[in-house]
Amino acid sequence: MKRLVESARFLSTGLALLLATVVAPSPAHADQSGHQGRVMQLRINTPGSVAHSSFHGSVTLKLEASNTLVEYRWGGSSCPAQKLSDPQLDVLVTAFVQRNDTKLTPTYTMGEGNGTRCLVGFELVAA
C-alpha cells in the first residue's frame, strides 16, 4: 500500500510539473532593429476593409543595399498588441512623401503567422 501511495504521489507531481510547463506564459519577444530603407508603400486598412481584422496597416521598405522589399504591419490579428497613433501615422505619411530625402529604420517584434514583422517603433534619418 505504501508503494502505491508513493507511486501516486510521484505521478501527481510529474503531472503538475508537466501542466505547469504547458500552460506557462511564453516569453515576450524582444524588440529587434530592422534594416534601414525608404518607404515605398504605406497601406491603411479602414474598419470597413475585409483585411482590417488581419492587420490595420503596413509600411513596406526598400532596403538600402538591395532592391529587397520588407513589410512591417500593425494591429489586427497579425499584430494585436501593436497600435499606431494618428501622429505616428502622419510621420509615416511624411516619410513616404519625402522618401527620396528620408530613410527609416524600423523596430519590430515577430507577430502571428510566418515571418510577420510587427512595427513597434521607427527612426527617421535625413538622406
Side-chain angles (χ1 to χ4, degrees), residues 45-50 52-53:
N45 293 326
T46 66
S49 169
V50 177
H52 187 264
S53 62

Side-chain angles (χ1 to χ4, degrees), residues 29 54 71 73 75-80 109-118:
H29 297 287
S54 179
E71 179 186 61
R73 294 180 173 190
S77 60
S78 299
C79 303
T109 60
M110 296 309 291
E112 304 299 320
N114 256 350
T116 301
R117 291 179 172 94
C118 299

